[in-house]
Amino acid sequence: MKLQEGPPESWRLRLYTIIFEADTRAGRAFDLALVGLIVASVIVVMLDSIASVRARHGTVLTTLEWMFTLLFTAEYIARLSCVRHPLRYARSPYGIIDLIAVLPTYLAFLVPGLQALIDVRVLRLLRLFRILKLGAYVAEFGMLGRALAASRRKILVFMFFVMMVVTIMGTLMYVVEGPDNGFTSIPVSVYWAITTMTTVGFGDITPKTDLGRVIASAMMLLGWGTLAVPTGIVSAEFTAQRMGRAPTTRTCHECLSEGHLPSARFCRNCGARLPAWQSDEGLWKPEGEDRAEPS
Amino acid sequence: MKLQEGPPESWRLRLYTIIFEADTRAGRAFDLALVGLIVASVIVVMLDSIASVRARHGTVLTTLEWMFTLLFTAEYIARLSCVRHPLRYARSPYGIIDLIAVLPTYLAFLVPGLQALIDVRVLRLLRLFRILKLGAYVAEFGMLGRALAASRRKILVFMFFVMMVVTIMGTLMYVVEGPDNGFTSIPVSVYWAITTMTTVGFGDITPKTDLGRVIASAMMLLGWGTLAVPTGIVSAEFTAQRMGRAPTTRTCHECLSEGHLPSARFCRNCGARLPAWQSDEGLWKPEGEDRAEPS
Amino acid sequence: MKLQEGPPESWRLRLYTIIFEADTRAGRAFDLALVGLIVASVIVVMLDSIASVRARHGTVLTTLEWMFTLLFTAEYIARLSCVRHPLRYARSPYGIIDLIAVLPTYLAFLVPGLQALIDVRVLRLLRLFRILKLGAYVAEFGMLGRALAASRRKILVFMFFVMMVVTIMGTLMYVVEGPDNGFTSIPVSVYWAITTMTTVGFGDITPKTDLGRVIASAMMLLGWGTLAVPTGIVSAEFTAQRMGRAPTTRTCHECLSEGHLPSARFCRNCGARLPAWQSDEGLWKPEGEDRAEPS
Amino acid sequence: MKLQEGPPESWRLRLYTIIFEADTRAGRAFDLALVGLIVASVIVVMLDSIASVRARHGTVLTTLEWMFTLLFTAEYIARLSCVRHPLRYARSPYGIIDLIAVLPTYLAFLVPGLQALIDVRVLRLLRLFRILKLGAYVAEFGMLGRALAASRRKILVFMFFVMMVVTIMGTLMYVVEGPDNGFTSIPVSVYWAITTMTTVGFGDITPKTDLGRVIASAMMLLGWGTLAVPTGIVSAEFTAQRMGRAPTTRTCHECLSEGHLPSARFCRNCGARLPAWQSDEGLWKPEGEDRAEPS
C-alpha cells in the first residue's frame, strides 16, 4: 500500500525499509515499538482526562503527551521524506490517519480541550493487522467486509425507512406529549424515538400521557422486531458466503437476465445454456454439497 | 403507477409529463426541486419546534411554512387536474400521502399544535426511489418486502403470543408491586412489561419488591431470548431467498428438481419448460427484478 | 381435544355441539360471542385498575366483572356437564385455563387485589386459532414449536451458562461496589446483572466505582455478543426447516453413526449404502436444490 | 478427565471410585449429594448478603458457611490424595475450580468481604453434565463450542473494531459534552459509549447538548445495526453446522464433491475412501459426537 522507492539513495531506502517494511529485524522492531507508543499515548491521554489523576500527575502527563506528539510528528515527516510521492501518501487513508494522529495537540493551542482527540490515534492500530502478519485475520476482515458490501443496498434501504419512521414517530410524540413532558422540540423527540427504537432506552425522556405510552409501546415492539431485518440481511449474506454461495451477477447471454445460481446449467428464463460462471477469483468452482456430480 | 392521460389537451399533457414523468429535463428538474422542497419544509418545521429558534426567527419560519404549504397545495391541485381519473389518484397510496402532506397546516387553524404533523411530508420522500431511478434499490426493497410477506403468518402468531405474555406478566406485576411502587394500573404495568420484554428498559418504572424483581428477571431473560424468534424467522426467509430458495415448492416435471423461482420459465437443471406457477392469489405474475423478459 | 359424548342424551349432545364444536351456526355464534366476552372482561378489569376510572365508574365495572364471572362460571359448569369424562377435561390444559379464568374473582374474597389476575383469561384466547379455523396459522405455530423443540437442548445448555455467569458476575459486583452503591445484597446484584446482560438496563442500580464500571463494561459487551448465540441457534433451526432439512436422526445400519444428511447415499463413516430416509411424515422426499439429479 | 489410579491401594481405589466415578451406587449418591451441597452453600451465601436476613439468622448462616467450607476442603484433600498425580489434578481446570471454591472463606480472614466470592462455587456445577450422564447435552455443548471456535477469528476482528469505535466515540463525547454534563473523564465516556452501543442504556449518564445527542443518535443506530454482525457470524456458523457443512473444504478425489465432515472417512456421494484431513493444527483427530467409530 505504500509507494516503492526508486533511485538508490541509501539513507532513504534504509529508512523506508525500517518504517514501511516489516521483514527485517529493524523493521519489525520499529513496528512493535510504534504500536507500543500508540497504545501508551492513548492511555496517557485517558489518564490525563481523569481530574484526580491530572491533579497529581498533570505535569508528567503533559510532558509525556508532548513527547509522544513530537515523536509521531518526526515519524510522520520521516515517512513523507522517504517515499517517492509524498503527496500521494499524505492523501492515502493511512496517511490521513497518521496526520490526524498528530494534529490535535497542535490544534489545542487554538481550541483548548481538543487535546483529547489525540485518542483518534487508536485508528493507527489498524496497521496492527499488517505488522503482526495476522494474515488469517486480514482474510476474515476482508470476507466480513465483502459480505457487508454485498448487502449494502438492502442496508441503505432499511436505514432510509428507519429514519423516516423515527422522524414521523418523533413528531407524533412531540404533538402528543408536548414540551412539558420533556419532549421540548421535534429534534429532541426524534432523539427520543431513536433511543426507543434501538431499545437503548436511556430514560432521560419518557412518555407520561396514556396516548404517549401507547404510541411508545407500539414503537418498542416495532423497533424490537425490526432489529430482525438488518440481522437477517447480514445473517443471510454471511450464511450464503459460508456455504459457498457468492453474490451472483451471473448473466444469461441470450436474454440478459441475472442472478442465476452458480450451479444452474440452463437459464431459468429462456432455457438457453449458461456459460460456466466466471468470478473475480477466476473460474468459479462450485463448492459444497450441491455439486455432487460424478462425471 | 399513475394514470395515463388520454385525449391530447396539450397543457394537461405537458403538465402531466413534468409532474409525473421523469424522463424529460423539465420533469427531472421538477422532481429534484420537489424533493428539495420536501426536505426543506421538514427542516423548517423541526426548527420551528425549538423554542429558542422560534423566539428569534418565528416570523420567518411561519412565513416559510405557509409558502411551502401553498406550493404543495398548488402542486396537489395540479396533479389532480392533469390525470384522467382524479378520484382514483386521490385514493391511491401516493395520493393519500400527498393529501396528508398538506392538511396539517390547515387543520392547525382548528387544533393548534397539529402543525408539527407537517413532518408526515417525509413520507413523500418515498417517491425518491422512482425519481432518482434507483432501480436496483427498488428491486432490493421489493425483495425485502416479499421475504417479509412470505413469513407474515409466523410473525403474526409471534406477535399474538407476545401480546398475551405482556398482558399476563403486566397484570402479575401490578398485583405484586402495586400502585405505590409505580405500577399505578394494569395498562401502565403492561406498558412496563413491554419496555422490559423489548429490553428498552426506560427505568421510569422499576420493580422494588423481591418477588417483583424475580418476575422481572424471568421476563428479561425471556424477552432477551425471545428476540431470537422473529430474528430467526426473518433470517431464515432472507437466507432462503438469498440461496435461491423462493417460497415455492415448484417442481420440474421432467427431472423432478424443486425450488424453482416463481418467475422461472425453464428448469435450471434440465432446460425443460416449466408449467405456469399457481399460488394462493391465483396465477402468479412476476414483478420486479426477476422479470427479465426478452423481447 | 375434547371428549366425545357417547349415549344420545339430546340436551347434552346439543350443548356439547354448541360449546365444543364450531361447525354449526349456533356453535360458531357461541364461539364468537365467547371471544368477545373474554376480550370485554379483560378490558373491564384493565379499566377498573385505573384509579381515575374506578372513581367515576367503579360500581358499573364491578357489576360487569361479576356478570362476566358468573357467565364464565356457568359456561365452565356447562362444559363439565356435557362431556363424558368431566375430570379428564378439568385436568386438560384447556380445562385448567378455563378454571383459572374464573377463580380469581372468588379468591378475591380471601385476598383482595387478586382480582386483577382475571386477566389470565386472555389465555382463553388461545382457542381463537381453532375457533376461527385459522388452519394455516395453526400450522405455522406448529412449525415454530417444532423448530424450537428441536433445538431445546442447545437452548437449555445456553440458559444454564447464562445463569452461572449472572450469579458469578452479580456476586463480583456486590463485592466490588457494595451496598452503599445500590448493590444491597447478592440477589439484588444478580438482578442487576440480568438487567445488564439482557441489555435492558433499567438504571435503578448503576455501578459507581471505576472497577465496577470496568466489570460492567465487560458484561455489557459479553451480553450483547452473547445474544448472538440463541439467535444463531434458532436461526439455524428455522433456516434448516425452511430449506427442507429436518433434524436428521438418520442412522447407518452398519456402524450406527447418526446425523447423515438427507441427501447422502453412502455412510460417511464406513462407506456402506444408506437406506432411503424415513421420517415422521413418511418416506422423506428431498426438496430444494440439492436434489437436482436427473435419472 | 481424571487420572487413573494405578497400584491397588484399596482405600484409595474405593475413594477414587466414589468421588470420581459415577457408575456405582455410592459414586452416584456422592455426586448427587455434592451437587446438593454446592447449591445449598451458594444459597446460604446469597441469604447471608441480605441485611435483613443476616440480622435475624446471621449466626446460623455463618455456621453453615464454615460447615460447607470444611466439607469442601475435606473433599478437595480427598481428591488430591486418591489420584496418582495430585499436582496434575490441581492444575487441571476442574482442579483449579475446586480450589477457588474453598479459598474465599479463608481469604476472608485477610480481606473481609471476599467471603461473598464463595459463589464462584457455582462453577463446580459444570460437573453436573458428567454426573447426571447428560450425554446428549454434553454433545450439544461440544457442538456449540466448536461452532463458536470455528468463527473465533471473525469474532476477534469484530471485537477489535468495537473497542476502537467506543474509544473514539467516547473521546468525542467527552470533548463535546464535557465533565459538567456527566462525562467526567475519557474512561467514563468510554463506559457510556459501551452502554450506548450495546443498547443497555442505563441512563446514569446522558448527553445534554444538541451535538452530543446527534452523535449519540448515530452511535445508537450504529450499535443497533452492528449487533447484526456477530449474530450473523454465529448464525452462519450454526446454520452451516446444522446443514452438515463443517468448517472444511475437504474434497473427494473421485467425484470432487466437497464439504465432507472432518470425521468422514468415505465420500457420502460416491462411497470412495477419503484421505485423512489435514488442518491448521496438524492431523485432525475426531472427538465428540461425530466420532461414531465401528469396532
Side-chain angles (χ1 to χ4, degrees):
Chain A
M1 252 172 290
K2 295 288 167 285
L3 296 161
Q4 197 42 258
E5 174 63 11
E9 292 197 39
S10 66
W11 69 269
R12 261 183 160 164
L13 188 58
R14 218 180 325 146
L15 203 58
Y16 180 83
T17 315
I18 293 177
I19 295 182
F20 288 96
E21 299 291 326
D23 301 310
T24 67
R25 267 183 73 207
R28 205 168 167 71
F30 174 83
D31 285 331
L32 287 173
L34 184 62
V35 168
L37 281 178
I38 295 172
V39 173
S41 74
V42 169
I43 291 177
V44 160
V45 176
M46 283 191 166
L47 290 176
D48 195 37
S49 73
I50 305 174
S52 54
V53 175
R54 176 161 34 179
R56 297 209 309 184
H57 306 284
T59 335
V60 177
L61 291 173
T62 313
T63 315
L64 281 170
E65 276 178 40
W66 273 106
M67 201 186 83
F68 285 127
T69 304
L70 289 171
L71 274 171
F72 289 132
T73 315
E75 180 221 348
Y76 186 68
I77 294 174
R79 286 182 185 270
L80 284 181
S81 67
C82 72
V83 293
R84 185 157 192 176
H85 301 278
L87 277 180
R88 202 180 297 181
Y89 169 72
R91 281 202 296 253
S92 72
Y94 275 120
I96 292 174
I97 290 176
D98 290 342
L99 185 61
I100 293 178
V102 292
L103 271 188
T105 325
Y106 298 113
L107 288 178
F109 280 126
L110 305 168
V111 186
L114 273 194
Q115 208 158 324
L117 287 178
I118 287 171
D119 272 353
V120 172
R121 275 187 199 149
V122 292
L123 282 174
R124 300 198 76 198
L125 290 176
L126 279 170
R127 59 184 65 219
L128 253 181
F129 288 121
R130 194 178 62 90
I131 292 170
L132 301 179
K133 292 200 185 308
L134 300 172
Y137 289 85
V138 175
E140 298 282 356
F141 169 49
M143 279 172 63
L144 270 183
R146 269 201 302 279
L148 287 173
S151 45
R152 69 188 178 286
R153 283 207 210 109
K154 288 198 186 85
I155 290 174
L156 278 172
V157 169
F158 174 72
M159 290 306 300
F160 178 75
F161 272 98
V162 168
M163 293 315 296
M164 269 201 353
V165 169
V166 292
T167 303
I168 293 174
M169 288 298 186
T171 308
L172 199 59
M173 288 301 283
Y174 169 75
V175 171
V176 167
E177 292 275 332
D180 297 328
N181 287 330
F183 292 77
T184 50
S185 68
I186 294 184
V188 166
S189 308
V190 173
Y191 160 75
W192 172 85
I194 293 179
T195 67
T196 302
M197 277 206 61
T198 55
T199 74
V200 170
F202 282 130
D204 48 352
I205 305 169
T206 50
K208 306 284 189 298
T209 68
D210 292 334
L211 180 58
R213 282 174 165 171
V214 169
I215 298 173
S217 301
M219 289 179 65
M220 288 189 271
L221 290 168
L222 186 68
W224 184 55
T226 306
L227 181 62
V229 176
T231 307
I233 293 175
V234 175
S235 293
E237 200 56 49
F238 281 166
T239 304
Q241 195 192 63
R242 178 77 180 69
M243 309 271 271
R245 214 66 64 85
T248 65
T249 54
R250 195 177 181 192
T251 313
C252 170
H253 288 189
E254 296 281 330
C255 67
L256 296 181
S257 60
E258 287 193 27
H260 298 279
L261 289 167
S263 62
R265 296 204 295 236
F266 293 89
C267 171
R268 69 173 181 279
N269 192 54
C270 68
R273 198 170 174 74
L274 294 170
W277 193 58
Q278 198 95 20
S279 80
D280 290 330
E281 292 105 336
L283 201 61
W284 188 87
K285 289 163 86 95
E287 53 181 321
E289 197 190 357
D290 55 357
R291 193 212 173 214
E293 296 158 358
S295 50
Chain B
M1 254 171 288
K2 296 286 170 281
L3 297 160
Q4 197 44 255
E5 173 62 13
E9 290 198 40
S10 64
W11 70 268
R12 265 183 159 164
L13 187 59
R14 218 181 325 147
L15 204 57
Y16 180 84
T17 315
I18 292 178
I19 295 182
F20 288 95
E21 300 291 325
D23 301 311
T24 67
R25 268 183 73 208
R28 207 172 164 69
F30 173 83
D31 284 331
L32 288 172
L34 183 63
V35 167
L37 282 179
I38 295 173
V39 173
S41 75
V42 168
I43 290 176
V44 160
V45 176
M46 282 191 165
L47 289 175
D48 195 37
S49 73
I50 305 173
S52 54
V53 175
R54 177 160 34 180
R56 296 207 311 182
H57 306 286
T59 334
V60 177
L61 291 173
T62 314
T63 314
L64 281 171
E65 275 177 40
W66 273 106
M67 202 186 82
F68 285 126
T69 304
L70 290 171
L71 275 171
F72 289 132
T73 316
E75 181 222 346
Y76 185 69
I77 293 173
R79 287 181 184 270
L80 285 180
S81 66
C82 71
V83 292
R84 185 154 194 181
H85 301 277
L87 278 180
R88 203 181 297 181
Y89 170 73
R91 282 202 294 255
S92 73
Y94 274 120
I96 292 174
I97 291 176
D98 289 343
L99 185 62
I100 293 178
V102 293
L103 272 188
T105 326
Y106 298 112
L107 289 177
F109 278 126
L110 306 168
V111 186
L114 273 194
Q115 207 155 328
L117 287 178
I118 286 171
D119 272 354
V120 173
R121 275 188 199 149
V122 292
L123 282 174
R124 300 199 74 198
L125 290 175
L126 279 171
R127 59 183 64 220
L128 252 182
F129 288 122
R130 194 180 62 89
I131 292 170
L132 302 179
K133 292 202 185 306
L134 300 172
Y137 289 84
V138 175
E140 299 280 356
F141 168 50
M143 280 171 62
L144 269 184
R146 269 201 300 281
L148 286 174
S151 45
R152 67 187 179 288
R153 285 208 210 107
K154 288 197 186 86
I155 292 174
L156 279 173
V157 169
F158 175 72
M159 289 307 299
F160 178 76
F161 272 98
V162 167
M163 293 315 294
M164 271 202 351
V165 170
V166 292
T167 303
I168 294 174
M169 287 297 185
T171 307
L172 199 60
M173 288 301 283
Y174 169 75
V175 172
V176 168
E177 291 275 332
D180 298 328
N181 286 331
F183 292 78
T184 50
S185 68
I186 294 183
V188 166
S189 307
V190 172
Y191 160 76
W192 171 85
I194 293 178
T195 66
T196 302
M197 277 208 61
T198 54
T199 74
V200 170
F202 282 130
D204 49 350
I205 305 169
T206 50
K208 305 286 189 299
T209 67
D210 293 334
L211 179 59
R213 282 174 166 171
V214 168
I215 298 173
S217 301
M219 289 180 65
M220 288 188 272
L221 291 168
L222 185 69
W224 184 56
T226 307
L227 181 61
V229 176
T231 307
I233 293 175
V234 174
S235 293
E237 200 57 47
F238 281 166
T239 304
Q241 195 191 63
R242 177 74 180 71
M243 307 271 272
R245 210 65 61 83
T248 167
T249 54
R250 196 176 179 194
T251 313
C252 170
H253 287 192
E254 295 284 330
C255 68
L256 296 182
S257 61
E258 290 194 24
H260 298 280
L261 290 169
S263 60
R265 296 209 292 239
F266 293 90
C267 171
R268 68 172 179 279
N269 191 55
C270 69
R273 199 168 176 73
L274 296 170
W277 190 60
Q278 199 93 19
S279 79
D280 292 328
E281 295 105 335
L283 203 59
W284 189 88
K285 288 165 87 95
E287 56 179 319
E289 189 185 13
D290 53 359
R291 176 180 173 237
E293 290 165 356
S295 51
Chain C
M1 253 173 286
K2 296 288 169 281
L3 297 161
Q4 197 45 254
E5 173 63 11
E9 291 198 40
S10 65
W11 68 270
R12 263 184 161 165
L13 189 58
R14 217 181 325 146
L15 203 59
Y16 180 83
T17 315
I18 292 178
I19 295 181
F20 287 97
E21 300 290 325
D23 301 312
T24 68
R25 267 183 73 208
R28 204 170 167 71
F30 173 83
D31 284 331
L32 288 172
L34 182 64
V35 167
L37 281 178
I38 295 173
V39 172
S41 75
V42 168
I43 291 177
V44 160
V45 176
M46 283 192 166
L47 289 176
D48 195 38
S49 72
I50 306 174
S52 53
V53 175
R54 176 160 35 180
R56 295 208 312 181
H57 306 284
T59 335
V60 177
L61 291 173
T62 312
T63 314
L64 281 170
E65 276 178 41
W66 272 106
M67 202 185 81
F68 285 127
T69 303
L70 290 172
L71 276 170
F72 289 133
T73 315
E75 181 221 347
Y76 185 69
I77 294 174
R79 285 182 186 269
L80 285 180
S81 67
C82 70
V83 293
R84 186 157 192 178
H85 302 276
L87 277 180
R88 203 181 297 182
Y89 169 72
R91 282 203 295 252
S92 72
Y94 274 119
I96 293 175
I97 290 176
D98 289 342
L99 185 62
I100 293 178
V102 291
L103 272 188
T105 325
Y106 299 112
L107 289 177
F109 279 126
L110 306 169
V111 185
L114 272 194
Q115 209 156 326
L117 287 179
I118 286 171
D119 273 354
V120 173
R121 275 187 199 150
V122 292
L123 282 174
R124 301 199 72 198
L125 290 176
L126 279 171
R127 60 184 64 220
L128 253 182
F129 287 122
R130 194 179 62 91
I131 292 170
L132 301 178
K133 293 200 186 305
L134 299 171
Y137 289 84
V138 175
E140 298 282 355
F141 169 49
M143 280 172 62
L144 270 183
R146 269 200 303 279
L148 287 174
S151 44
R152 69 190 177 287
R153 285 209 209 108
K154 288 198 186 86
I155 291 174
L156 277 172
V157 169
F158 175 72
M159 289 308 298
F160 178 75
F161 272 98
V162 168
M163 292 315 295
M164 271 203 350
V165 170
V166 291
T167 302
I168 294 174
M169 287 299 186
T171 308
L172 199 60
M173 287 302 283
Y174 169 74
V175 171
V176 167
E177 290 277 333
D180 298 327
N181 287 330
F183 292 77
T184 50
S185 68
I186 295 183
V188 167
S189 307
V190 172
Y191 160 75
W192 172 86
I194 293 178
T195 66
T196 302
M197 278 207 60
T198 55
T199 73
V200 170
F202 282 130
D204 49 351
I205 305 169
T206 50
K208 305 285 189 296
T209 68
D210 293 334
L211 179 59
R213 281 174 166 171
V214 168
I215 298 173
S217 301
M219 288 180 65
M220 288 188 271
L221 290 167
L222 186 70
W224 184 54
T226 306
L227 181 61
V229 177
T231 307
I233 294 175
V234 175
S235 293
E237 200 57 48
F238 281 166
T239 305
Q241 195 191 62
R242 178 75 179 71
M243 308 271 273
R245 212 65 63 86
T248 64
T249 54
R250 195 176 180 193
T251 313
C252 170
H253 287 191
E254 296 283 329
C255 68
L256 297 182
S257 60
E258 288 193 26
H260 297 279
L261 289 167
S263 62
R265 295 202 295 235
F266 293 89
C267 171
R268 67 172 181 278
N269 193 54
C270 69
R273 199 169 174 75
L274 294 170
W277 192 58
Q278 198 95 20
S279 79
D280 291 330
E281 292 105 338
L283 200 62
W284 187 87
K285 288 163 84 95
E287 54 181 320
E289 197 189 354
D290 54 357
R291 193 216 173 206
E293 296 158 358
S295 46
Chain D
M1 257 172 283
K2 296 289 169 281
L3 298 161
Q4 196 44 255
E5 175 61 15
E9 290 198 43
S10 64
W11 69 268
R12 263 186 162 162
L13 188 59
R14 218 180 324 145
L15 202 58
Y16 180 83
T17 315
I18 292 179
I19 294 182
F20 287 97
E21 299 291 325
D23 300 311
T24 67
R25 268 184 71 209
R28 204 168 166 72
F30 174 84
D31 284 332
L32 287 172
L34 183 64
V35 168
L37 282 178
I38 295 172
V39 173
S41 74
V42 168
I43 290 177
V44 160
V45 176
M46 282 190 166
L47 289 176
D48 195 36
S49 73
I50 304 174
S52 54
V53 175
R54 177 161 34 182
R56 295 209 311 185
H57 306 284
T59 335
V60 177
L61 291 173
T62 314
T63 314
L64 281 170
E65 275 177 41
W66 273 106
M67 201 187 82
F68 286 126
T69 303
L70 290 172
L71 275 171
F72 289 132
T73 315
E75 181 220 348
Y76 185 69
I77 294 173
R79 285 180 185 271
L80 284 181
S81 67
C82 71
V83 292
R84 185 157 194 177
H85 302 276
L87 277 179
R88 203 181 296 181
Y89 169 73
R91 282 203 295 253
S92 72
Y94 275 120
I96 293 175
I97 289 175
D98 289 342
L99 184 63
I100 293 177
V102 292
L103 271 187
T105 324
Y106 299 112
L107 288 177
F109 279 127
L110 306 169
V111 186
L114 272 195
Q115 207 156 326
L117 287 179
I118 286 172
D119 272 355
V120 173
R121 275 187 200 151
V122 292
L123 282 175
R124 300 199 73 197
L125 290 176
L126 279 171
R127 60 184 66 219
L128 253 182
F129 288 121
R130 193 179 63 89
I131 292 170
L132 302 179
K133 293 203 185 305
L134 299 171
Y137 289 85
V138 175
E140 298 282 355
F141 168 50
M143 280 171 61
L144 269 184
R146 269 200 303 279
L148 286 174
S151 45
R152 68 187 178 288
R153 286 209 209 106
K154 287 197 186 84
I155 290 174
L156 278 173
V157 169
F158 175 72
M159 289 307 299
F160 179 76
F161 272 98
V162 168
M163 293 314 295
M164 270 202 352
V165 170
V166 291
T167 303
I168 294 174
M169 287 298 186
T171 308
L172 199 60
M173 287 301 282
Y174 169 75
V175 171
V176 168
E177 290 276 332
D180 297 328
N181 287 329
F183 292 77
T184 50
S185 68
I186 294 183
V188 166
S189 307
V190 172
Y191 160 76
W192 171 85
I194 293 179
T195 67
T196 303
M197 277 206 62
T198 55
T199 74
V200 171
F202 283 129
D204 49 351
I205 305 170
T206 50
K208 306 284 189 297
T209 68
D210 293 333
L211 180 58
R213 282 174 165 170
V214 168
I215 298 173
S217 302
M219 288 180 65
M220 288 189 271
L221 290 168
L222 186 69
W224 184 54
T226 306
L227 181 61
V229 177
T231 307
I233 293 174
V234 175
S235 293
E237 200 56 47
F238 281 166
T239 304
Q241 195 192 61
R242 178 73 180 70
M243 308 270 272
R245 208 66 62 83
T248 169
T249 54
R250 196 177 179 193
T251 314
C252 168
H253 287 189
E254 296 283 331
C255 67
L256 296 182
S257 60
E258 290 194 24
H260 299 280
L261 290 169
S263 60
R265 297 210 292 241
F266 293 90
C267 171
R268 67 172 180 279
N269 191 56
C270 69
R273 197 166 175 74
L274 294 171
W277 190 59
Q278 199 93 18
S279 80
D280 290 329
E281 295 104 334
L283 203 60
W284 189 89
K285 289 164 85 100
E287 57 179 318
E289 191 187 12
D290 54 359
R291 179 179 170 235
E293 290 165 356
S295 50

